[in-house]
Amino acid sequence: MPADPRRYVLKPFYLLTTLLVLTGCGVMHAHTLIDGTPVTGELHWRGPNQNGTSLQTGLPTSAVVEGEGKNLRWTLDVPGRGTAVIAEYEDGPRLFVMGYPGSGAELVEKIYCLNPETGEEIWSREYADFISDIVYNRYTIGAPTVDPETGNVYFQTSQGLAICLDRDGNELWQVSLMETYGKLTFPNGRTGCTTIDGDLAIVNCISTNWGSEGPARNRFYAFDKHTGELVWSSTPGVGPPFLADSSFSTPHIEDRQGYRVFYAGTGCGNLVAVNARTGEPLWRYQMSLGGVNSSPLIYDNGTPDDPSDDLIVQVHGKENVGDSGRGYMMAIRADDALKAAAASDEQIQLDDSYIAWRNNDVNMFTSSPTIVDGVVYQCAMDGRFIAIDAKSGETLWEKKLGASQLHASPLYADGRLYVPYWNDGLFILEPTRTEPGEADVQQTRLSGKCIGTAMAWNGKLYVHSTDRLYCFGNDSGGLAAAKIKPTAAGNTPRPPAALMLQPAEFKLHPGESVSLQETTIDATGRATPAELGKMALEKFIPPTARVKVKLDATIDGRTITTSGANAPSAGAFKATVDGLSGTARGRILPVPPYAFDFEQFDLTLTDTNDSVAYAHPPLPWIGARLKWQVREDPYNPGSKVLAKTLDRVLFQRSTIFLGHADDTGYTIQADVMSDGNRRGGSVVGVVCQRYIIALDLNKNIINITSNPNRIDESEPFKWQAKTWYTIKAKVVANADGSGTVFGKAWLRGEDEPAEWNIATEVPNVHTQGSPGIYGFSPQSRHRVYVDNVKVEPTE
């Protein structure tokens, strides 16, 4: 498949040397090494082989909390729902794990750096939730990742902060995926982990960005791991996520046929293959009518020098496509699928002819498989633990371990399977190919629910429950020997096929500049050195663009400089040189003070649902496309306002972000109105530094919230449908980290009241966040409207 010139790269990739491990019939990948001494350890929740196995030896054969044989070394009494990772630095090892201490408004997500031998805290950093739908304390469903080159730590918070810290906890960069790319949150809280590949830090989420990425889709974003700048974005699935289903499937990355490929599940029910260098979608297979959350693995079919029989194994647990069943495990012939994709000019959809086998008796929604010596081990939703022949798909044996299972995956290390179960604690098995080793099955009841996968290191086993992190085991352990896999064929760079521009996407304030740099890539996306002529850069309107505008900026060589106008703007750019081309895009976001209404919009489009004329909202706004329209005020003809759409129940709740995620110290004001009647209405308001201040017509209140389970306070405010009101909000932070969120509202046209209607004290106040607009139309029944938005510095 030719390289997609729409994708972008920040800089040429480093030349990589990759360690690969052979165990039995399976080829398993270990850490990627780069010039210099790498950081070693257990750096990723899926293990060094990306498949739930570990090379650690000398591990405990049992886990005893108290009494005879006790081998519990220490606990961290903080709840968690993920997996710890351990990095071995020159001056000693460090364990990184996420937890969520506190309750109510004081609950925070926290990353801990501990001494893995003693549990002693070295440092910690905390992050409060904001504007999320997460319920029942479903936080930290994921894991940190440590980069083997730099030793830096990467993780995501549940509401969508992608963060890079150095080993000492100093923040190197932070990207608010919600405010910058429109990441959506869901009540399930599934977040996953950041995947490091070379210079890339790759995250998986559902987003409603701007422009062509405005529709809600499962997307992968690749950031430069050093700077946090976007390298590429990819939308490899099809359609919106089913039933608002997110996916935290972790990509499995490998080299194949000269491509660097990753495989992952998506919220729209697909297993996808993506070019990891460029983000170009290669192929997809539609498995289910729900999210595919489990992570795939690769089975080398017994011939490590010949990858033609390799299989990609994936499981799901939602409604099947094409039949009435619910869930199955399957294997796709990896080489055949990629050859077909490489021969096409666009992503292909695989049919059943690419399926090597399918086992309908294995179903799992979120737990991922493990493979050892040609046997796939999988937890099933109904509590069964199943062994499957990786070559044929035949069930070898199964054993009922628990009542049910959620999230946690098996870990294989030192000849044993360590399997946390949701309500049943930790199981330790010593299986064979033909039976589960019933005499050696041990169960340890732990306090809390076990949702995260276990981690092994230096003779110890770490298991995090919803009550605490446990460390069991011995004083020390060992590490099994690794072998080098022969270098994959076809990795020699080919002739240049396209340009990739750096940065991929940018956001600037008025008057700021950015310089684009180009990299030549071959048809597989590999950086290819080439002597080129002078690059020509021009403004560019993609042929599929619905809003055909250009960025308010000038071009001088490769430098783009925004105008001084303090107004939102967005657009794309195209670079060409020697017959090669590539594109990038960017936004200008104003700084307070600014104000806008919607009178300048031409209502040239017609809504097919109600035949009303409308215009698209401003292009640079995050989360506005398809969820809001500019329309004529239905109760004040001749006036144009922003109106929420009602055709998608999935978007009955919608937030628009107008500015930068680091905006601070401002006051936001807007006119708002809701349709409705005596039986019901909607909710409409503004966003101020990550707090929603809104009027609720159903309850006749003014409300302040961020996450309803953390902060949700109201005061009576009687208002009427089809009548305009003005709402205003600000946040005041105190030196001790606390603060107060203020809100007031009044009938539009009347004098602003001197007093605030509501003032909510917050123990961990957000000191920054994009201004925004919020609308909630329950069951998409009653429309809400916004006009005359003002954002000004707080006096």
Side-chain angles (χ1 to χ4, degrees):
M1 177 180 285
D4 187 342
R6 296 170 298 174
R7 304 299 172 186
Y8 327 96
V9 71
L10 195 64
K11 62 180 73 172
F13 295 112
Y14 292 123
L15 296 178
L16 306 178
T17 305
T18 303
L19 267 181
L20 299 172
V21 182
L22 302 176
T23 64
C25 296
V27 176
M28 302 187 291
H29 303 252
H31 304 309
T32 299
L33 303 181
I34 303 178
D35 292 342
T37 302
V39 176
T40 59
E42 299 296 325
L43 310 182
H44 189 274
W45 82 273
R46 288 291 279 162
N49 312 308
Q50 304 183 86
N51 63 4
T53 66
S54 171
L55 300 176
Q56 298 288 330
T57 61
L59 297 173
T61 59
S62 62
V64 182
V65 176
E66 58 185 1
E68 183 178 355
K70 176 181 177 180
N71 63 350
L72 177 64
R73 301 178 64 88
W74 55 263
T75 63
L76 174 69
D77 294 336
V78 173
R81 296 171 182 250
T83 303
V85 296
I86 298 98
E88 300 175 16
Y89 299 98
E90 291 184 357
D91 60 349
R94 297 188 176 193
L95 179 148
F96 302 99
V97 70
M98 296 188 69
Y100 52 98
S103 61
E106 295 186 351
L107 184 147
V108 293
E109 287 186 290
K110 200 167 184 177
I111 183 166
Y112 294 85
C113 175
L114 309 177
N115 182 324
E117 299 283 1
T118 66
E120 178 184 2
E121 181 176 323
I122 300 173
W123 54 260
S124 61
R125 301 289 179 268
E126 63 183 45
Y127 304 88
D129 192 8
F130 61 88
I131 318 181
S132 82
D133 296 324
I134 296 166
V135 298
Y136 305 130
N137 291 348
R138 291 170 175 165
Y139 292 99
T140 70
I141 303 178
T145 301
V146 179
D147 174 30
E149 179 201 7
T150 63
N152 293 335
V153 185
Y154 299 80
F155 62 99
Q156 300 171 60
T157 63
S158 299
Q159 76 276 18
L161 297 179
I163 298 170
C164 172
L165 306 179
D166 69 14
R167 48 163 289 170
D168 295 319
N170 300 305
E171 187 172 288
L172 301 180
W173 55 262
Q174 178 187 125
V175 175
S176 175
L177 298 174
M178 180 188 293
E179 295 162 295
T180 308
Y181 301 104
K183 176 185 173 175
L184 301 179
T185 65
F186 297 89
N188 57 60
R190 294 191 297 268
T191 302
C193 78
T194 302
T195 298
I196 302 298
D197 186 49
D199 268 357
L200 300 180
I202 303 171
V203 302
N204 178 8
C205 67
I206 310 295
S207 72
T208 60
N209 199 359
W210 65 277
S212 61
E213 293 190 1
R217 298 290 186 270
N218 196 141
R219 294 188 173 89
F220 296 85
Y221 292 93
F223 300 96
D224 182 289
K225 72 179 183 183
H226 304 285
T227 65
E229 293 187 274
L230 186 67
V231 177
W232 54 253
S233 63
S234 180
T235 312
V238 57
F242 286 109
L243 303 175
D245 198 358
S246 57
S247 174
F248 68 166
S249 178
T250 298
H252 186 114
I253 304 178
E254 66 159 3
D255 290 308
R256 186 170 297 277
Q257 299 176 22
Y259 288 84
R260 187 73 170 160
V261 186
F262 76 72
Y263 312 99
T266 66
C268 55
N270 282 268
L271 172 63
V272 300
V274 176
N275 188 328
R277 300 184 184 117
T278 66
E280 178 188 14
L282 299 171
W283 57 255
R284 67 178 180 89
Y285 180 80
Q286 187 81 47
M287 295 185 70
S288 72
L289 298 178
V292 178
N293 280 273
S294 300
S295 303
L297 55 77
I298 303 296
Y299 168 60
D300 183 297
N301 207 358
T303 52
D305 294 327
D306 179 11
S308 61
D309 291 333
D310 291 358
L311 302 177
I312 306 161
V313 178
Q314 179 70 63
V315 69
H316 87 89
K318 289 289 191 175
E319 182 181 349
N320 297 341
V321 172
D323 63 59
S324 60
R326 187 178 179 86
Y328 60 84
M329 178 177 281
M330 69 165 189
I332 286 180
R333 288 188 290 273
D335 248 38
D336 291 347
L338 187 54
K339 286 177 182 177
S344 174
D345 289 333
E346 58 186 19
Q347 182 189 26
I348 66 171
Q349 181 176 359
L350 302 182
D351 57 30
D352 290 345
S353 67
Y354 292 90
I355 306 302
W357 54 259
R358 171 171 161 170
N359 188 324
N360 292 321
D361 193 43
V362 183
N363 63 347
M364 186 62 215
F365 181 42
T366 52
S367 176
S368 299
T370 297
I371 185 169
V372 182
D373 294 338
V375 179
V376 177
Y377 297 100
Q378 177 69 58
C379 301
M381 295 175 66
D382 59 7
R384 290 174 299 147
F385 189 69
I386 308 173
I388 305 101
D389 183 276
K391 186 173 183 178
S392 68
E394 175 189 0
T395 296
L396 299 174
W397 55 261
E398 63 178 56
K399 181 174 179 61
K400 182 78 168 176
L401 291 183
S404 61
Q405 178 64 320
L406 179 71
H407 296 342
S409 304
L411 168 69
Y412 181 86
D414 200 19
R416 301 175 192 87
L417 285 159
Y418 298 91
V419 193
Y421 260 70
W422 187 14
N423 291 304
D424 302 280
L426 174 68
F427 291 89
I428 302 177
L429 301 83
E430 296 187 14
T432 68
R433 182 179 179 85
T434 57
E435 54 89 19
E438 292 193 26
D440 296 315
V441 174
Q442 298 189 41
Q443 179 183 9
T444 301
R445 296 282 184 177
L446 301 176
S447 178
K449 297 180 182 294
C450 293
I451 295 178
T453 300
M455 178 56 72
W457 175 80
N458 194 33
K460 300 167 189 64
L461 187 74
Y462 304 87
V463 183
H464 209 162
S465 77
T466 54
D467 275 353
R468 63 199 61 173
L469 174 65
Y470 292 85
C471 173
F472 298 97
N474 310 312
D475 290 339
S476 63
L479 192 67
K483 298 181 180 180
I484 301 296
K485 179 182 178 181
T487 302
N491 286 339
T492 303
R494 305 171 187 178
L499 295 180
M500 298 181 73
L501 297 182
Q502 60 175 49
E505 182 174 323
F506 57 86
K507 61 183 188 300
L508 301 171
H509 290 117
E512 292 182 338
S513 300
V514 62
S515 292
L516 300 182
Q517 304 296 323
E518 76 278 10
T519 297
T520 56
I521 57 172
D522 66 15
T524 70
R526 184 181 298 276
T528 304
E531 293 186 6
L532 302 176
K534 184 178 180 180
M535 183 180 77
L537 184 64
E538 61 181 340
K539 295 181 181 180
F540 172 67
I541 298 178
T544 58
R546 294 191 180 188
V547 180
K548 299 186 182 299
V549 296
K550 297 180 180 180
L551 191 76
D552 185 12
T554 59
I555 301 173
D556 183 8
R558 61 181 69 249
T559 300
I560 300 168
T561 302
T562 64
S563 76
N566 195 33
S569 178
F573 295 84
K574 183 176 183 179
T576 56
V577 56
D578 294 348
L580 306 176
S581 64
T583 61
R585 68 180 199 164
R587 298 182 293 147
I588 302 172
L589 301 175
V591 295
Y594 58 87
F596 48 82
D597 56 30
F598 303 94
E599 300 304 325
Q600 72 275 24
F601 285 80
D602 295 323
L603 309 185
T604 59
L605 304 172
T606 302
D607 191 309
T608 57
N609 295 291
D610 57 11
S611 301
V612 172
Y614 76 94
H616 292 297
L619 183 61
W621 288 0
I622 295 295
R625 182 173 175 179
L626 302 180
K627 297 185 281 297
W628 298 80
Q629 297 171 341
V630 178
R631 293 182 167 212
E632 185 176 70
D633 184 341
Y635 309 109
N636 298 280
S639 176
K640 298 171 186 176
V641 299
L642 186 69
K644 193 177 180 311
T645 59
L646 299 177
D647 56 330
R648 294 172 177 84
V649 176
L650 175 62
F651 299 129
Q652 60 183 332
R653 189 191 316 269
S654 174
T655 306
I656 299 175
F657 294 106
L658 314 177
H660 285 259
D662 57 1
D663 284 348
T664 187
Y666 59 84
T667 298
I668 183 170
Q669 175 179 310
D671 295 340
V672 298
M673 179 175 65
S674 173
D675 281 341
N677 50 45
R678 290 182 300 173
R679 297 180 179 177
S682 294
V683 183
V684 61
V686 294
V687 178
C688 185
Q689 287 184 201
R690 299 176 176 170
Y691 298 96
I692 296 170
I693 301 88
L695 298 179
D696 187 331
L697 186 58
N698 289 313
K699 299 178 181 179
N700 275 309
I701 59 173
I702 183 171
N703 174 253
I704 292 177
T705 185
S706 192
N707 173 292
N709 289 291
R710 309 276 75 81
I711 298 169
D712 188 9
E713 294 192 4
S714 304
E715 291 291 341
F717 185 87
K718 188 169 182 60
W719 60 304
Q720 297 178 339
K722 306 174 185 179
T723 303
W724 283 99
Y725 292 81
T726 300
I727 191 168
K728 188 174 185 178
K730 69 176 182 178
V731 177
V732 176
N734 302 321
D736 63 357
S738 65
T740 306
V741 185
F742 295 89
K744 67 169 71 171
W746 62 95
L747 188 67
R748 188 173 73 174
E750 293 186 351
D751 292 338
E752 176 183 345
E755 300 298 320
W756 296 91
N757 295 98
I758 186 170
T760 299
E761 295 183 358
V762 181
N764 300 290
V765 74
H766 293 291
T767 58
Q768 63 182 42
S770 170
I773 296 168
Y774 176 78
F776 176 34
S777 300
Q779 298 304 308
S780 292
R781 294 182 58 196
H782 300 293
R783 201 180 303 275
V784 297
Y785 307 86
V786 177
D787 197 10
N788 299 317
V789 180
K790 298 179 182 179
V791 182
E792 300 175 334
T794 299
E795 296 179 356

